[in-house]
C-alpha cells in the first residue's frame, strides 16, 4: 500500500471514530431550560415541579425555569408547548388530566402522538376532604354519614376541584357514583382551599400535599382516601378500596417532551431527575407531601408503560361517560 493510500485509510478511520464519538457523546445543556406548568402557582403540580427544578439546576449547571401557562384545564399550556421548537430546551409537566382533555377533543393535535413521556416525578393520592364549618352545619361526621346526607339532600352538597373534566372529576364520579352533587371548578388551589375553609363549598377533591397545614389546624377534614390501602400518615381515614369503591385515580405528575426532541436531551434530563430524586431534600419533600405512599420516580420506559395503562383506563371511562371524542384504540 502506498503512503498516499495509507494516509487516506487512516484519515477515514479517524473520521469514522470522530463521528461515532459525537454520536455517543452525552448531551450537554448549553442554556436555560424551561419547564411549562399548565396549572397555576400554589397548586399540587406547581408545588411539585419547583423543588425539582431547583435540584435540576444544581445538577445540570443551567437555569431551570418553571413557567406557568394556565387556562383551559391545562390545554393552554399544551398548545403553548406545541408551538415551541423541539430542541431539548422546552419540556412540560403533565398528568393524566391532559390525556383526558385531549381525548375529549379539547386539543388541536393528537396529544398521545405528539408528546413523549419523559419521567414520572410523583404519583399522588387524591382524597375527598370536607369543610369543618360545613360538616358542623349539616351534621355529617364521616364519609358514610356524608353519603347518607347526599342521598337525602340531592344537589345540596357542593364539591370543588381544579379539573372537573379531568382526573379530579373522574375521581369524584367514581367515589360518589349515582349521587347528585354540585361540582364547582376553581382556577387555583389557593382559591379552592379558601372556599372550603370558609364553608363556601362542602367538599373538595385534592391531595393531602396541598392542604397539610389546614388539616393540622382542623379547618379541613380528610374523609376518604382514594387509594388501595389506608395512608400511613392518615391511618384513621378510610380508603376507597376497603369500602368497595372502585376509585383509586391519583395524579401521576411527570415530564413530557414534544415529539422530535433529541433523545439525547431526554436521556440527559431523565438521568438528572433520577439523581435529584435521591437527594435528601427531595426525599423529605416526598414524605411531607405523602408522595411516598406510592412509587414516585419512574424512568422513561416505565413511565411510557404507565401512561399507556392510564390511557386505556381513562378512554374506557370517558367512553362510558359518552364524552370520548378521540379513541386511540379503535
Amino acid at each position: 500500500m502506498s503512503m498516499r493510500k495509507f494516509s487516506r485509510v487512516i484519515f477515514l478511520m479517524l473520521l469514522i471514530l470522530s463521528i461515532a464519538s459525537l454520536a455517543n457523546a452525552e448531551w450537554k445543556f448549553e442554556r436555560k431550560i424551561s419547564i411549562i406548568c399548565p396549572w397555576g402557582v400554589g397548586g399540587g403540580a406547581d408545588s411539585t415541579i419547583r423543588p425539582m427544578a431547583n435540584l435540576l439546576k444544581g445538577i445540570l449547571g443551567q437555569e431551570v425555569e418553571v413557567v406557568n401557562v394556565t387556562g383551559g384545564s391545562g390545554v393552554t399550556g399544551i398548545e403553548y408547548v406545541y408551538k415551541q421548537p423541539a430542541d431539548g430546551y422546552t419540556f412540560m409537566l403533565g398528568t393524566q388530566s391532559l390525556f383526558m382533555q385531549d381525548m375529549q377533543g379539547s386539543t388541536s393535535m393528537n396529544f398521545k402522538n405528539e408528546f413523549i413521556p419523559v419521567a414520572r416525578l410523583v404519583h399522588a393520592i387524591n382524597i375527598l376532604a370536607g369543610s369543618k364549618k360545613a360538616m358542623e352545619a349539616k351534621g355529617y361526621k364521616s364519609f358514610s354519614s356524608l353519603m347518607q346526607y347526599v342521598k337525602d339532600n340531592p344537589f345540596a352538597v357542593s364539591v370543588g376541584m381544579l379539573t372537573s373534566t379531568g382526573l379530579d372529576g373522574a375521581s369524584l364520579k367514581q367515589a360518589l357514583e349515582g349521587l347528585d352533587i354540585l361540582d364547582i371548578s376553581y382556577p387555583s388551589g389557593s382559591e379552592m382551599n379558601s372556599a372550603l375553609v370558609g364553608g363556601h363549598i362542602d367538599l373538595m377533591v385534592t391531595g393531602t400535599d396541598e392542604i397539610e397545614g389546614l388539616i393540622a389546624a382542623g379547618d379541613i377534614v380528610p374523609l376518604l382516601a382514594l387509594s388501595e390501602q389506608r395512608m400511613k400518615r392518615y391511618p384513621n381515614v378510610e380508603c376507597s378500596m376497603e369500602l368497595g369503591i372502585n376509585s383509586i385515580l391519583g395524579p401521576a405528575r411527570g415530564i413530557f417532551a414534544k415529539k422530535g426532541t433529541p433523545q439525547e436531551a431526554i436521556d440527559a434530563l431523565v438521568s438528572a431527575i433520577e439523581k435529584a430524586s435521591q437527594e435528601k431534600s427531595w426525599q423529605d419533600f416526598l414524605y411531607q407531601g405523602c408522595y411516598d405512599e406510592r412509587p414516585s420516580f419512574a424512568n422513561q420506559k416505565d413511565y411510557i408503560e404507565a401512561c399507556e395503562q392510564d390511557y386505556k383506563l381513562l378512554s374506557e371511562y370517558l367512553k362510558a361517560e359518552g364524552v370520548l371524542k378521540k379513541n386511540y384504540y379503535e
Side-chain angles (χ1 to χ4, degrees):
M1 181 184 294
S2 67
M3 284 298 296
R4 193 171 182 179
K5 287 184 177 180
F6 180 75
S7 297
R8 285 180 180 174
V9 170
I10 295 298
F11 174 76
L12 288 172
M13 289 177 65
L14 290 173
L15 181 61
I16 291 170
L17 288 172
S18 176
I19 292 172
S21 177
L22 287 173
N24 294 326
E26 290 186 3
W27 176 278
K28 182 172 175 58
F29 291 99
E30 301 290 348
R31 54 185 170 85
K32 179 180 71 177
I33 303 155
S34 295
I35 300 179
I36 309 305
C37 178
W39 298 281
V41 175
D46 180 76
S47 299
T48 296
I49 191 55
R50 289 188 181 275
M52 174 55 71
N54 287 334
L55 290 170
L56 292 175
K57 176 182 176 181
I59 295 170
L60 297 173
Q62 295 291 341
E63 184 71 24
V64 180
E65 176 187 37
V66 176
V67 182
N68 298 88
V69 180
T70 63
S73 296
V75 174
T76 303
I78 295 175
E79 299 291 351
Y80 175 85
V81 177
Y82 189 58
K83 293 175 183 176
Q84 306 309 306
D87 58 4
Y89 288 90
T90 301
F91 294 89
M92 181 180 69
L93 183 73
T95 73
Q96 306 98 312
S97 286
L98 301 187
F99 305 174
M100 297 180 73
Q101 295 299 328
D102 172 60
M103 290 190 288
Q104 290 175 85
S106 299
T107 60
S108 66
M109 83 300 294
N110 288 334
F111 182 87
K112 188 174 188 293
N113 300 332
E114 297 298 331
F115 284 85
I116 305 164
V118 172
R120 187 179 65 208
L121 305 180
V122 299
H123 189 184
I125 292 175
N126 266 344
I127 68 165
L128 195 61
S131 163
K132 181 182 179 182
K133 284 189 176 181
M135 291 172 67
E136 290 175 345
K138 296 184 176 180
Y140 54 85
K141 297 181 180 180
S142 65
F143 179 74
S144 297
S145 56
L146 162 67
M147 294 281 279
Q148 188 60 51
Y149 183 88
V150 174
K151 290 177 183 177
D152 295 339
N153 301 275
F155 298 109
V157 169
S158 56
V159 185
M161 64 193 79
L162 296 181
T163 52
S164 60
T165 56
L167 199 69
D168 291 348
S171 296
L172 180 67
K173 285 187 178 180
Q174 289 180 339
L176 302 179
E177 187 176 3
L179 298 181
D180 298 319
I181 51 92
L182 297 173
D183 58 270
I184 303 173
S185 294
Y186 283 87
S188 71
S190 57
E191 291 180 60
M192 184 168 66
N193 294 347
S194 296
L196 191 69
V197 171
H200 306 299
I201 55 175
D202 301 287
L203 306 165
M204 72 176 180
V205 180
T206 185
T208 57
D209 53 323
E210 302 170 49
I211 56 170
E212 182 183 13
L214 296 172
I215 293 174
D219 297 317
I220 291 178
V221 182
L223 293 173
L224 181 70
L226 303 176
S227 58
E228 301 86 345
Q229 56 192 15
R230 293 196 181 198
M231 299 176 70
K232 292 178 287 187
R233 292 280 299 281
Y234 300 97
N236 295 326
V237 178
E238 295 174 305
C239 73
S240 53
M241 289 301 286
E242 71 179 289
L243 297 178
I245 298 171
N246 186 24
S247 178
I248 57 173
L249 290 173
R253 298 179 188 134
I255 304 296
F256 289 79
K258 183 180 174 182
K259 183 179 179 181
T261 298
Q263 186 60 44
E264 296 84 357
I266 291 174
D267 291 343
L269 187 61
V270 172
S271 178
I273 292 172
E274 183 172 16
K275 186 175 181 180
S277 297
Q278 297 167 3
E279 295 281 347
K280 184 180 184 304
S281 62
W282 183 255
Q283 292 296 317
D284 290 342
F285 167 77
L286 295 180
Y287 173 77
Q288 291 298 327
C290 293
Y291 296 128
D292 59 345
E293 300 277 350
R294 286 172 169 165
S296 50
F297 171 78
N299 61 27
Q300 188 178 27
K301 178 179 178 293
D302 292 340
Y303 191 34
I304 287 173
E305 291 177 359
C307 287
E308 185 67 20
Q309 292 174 4
D310 285 337
Y311 262 110
K312 290 178 179 178
L313 173 67
L314 293 170
S315 64
E316 291 174 3
Y317 166 79
L318 293 173
K319 187 174 183 179
E321 291 290 311
V323 294
L324 180 67
K325 293 186 179 180
K326 294 181 188 177
N327 192 334
Y328 290 105
Y329 302 99
E330 288 186 352

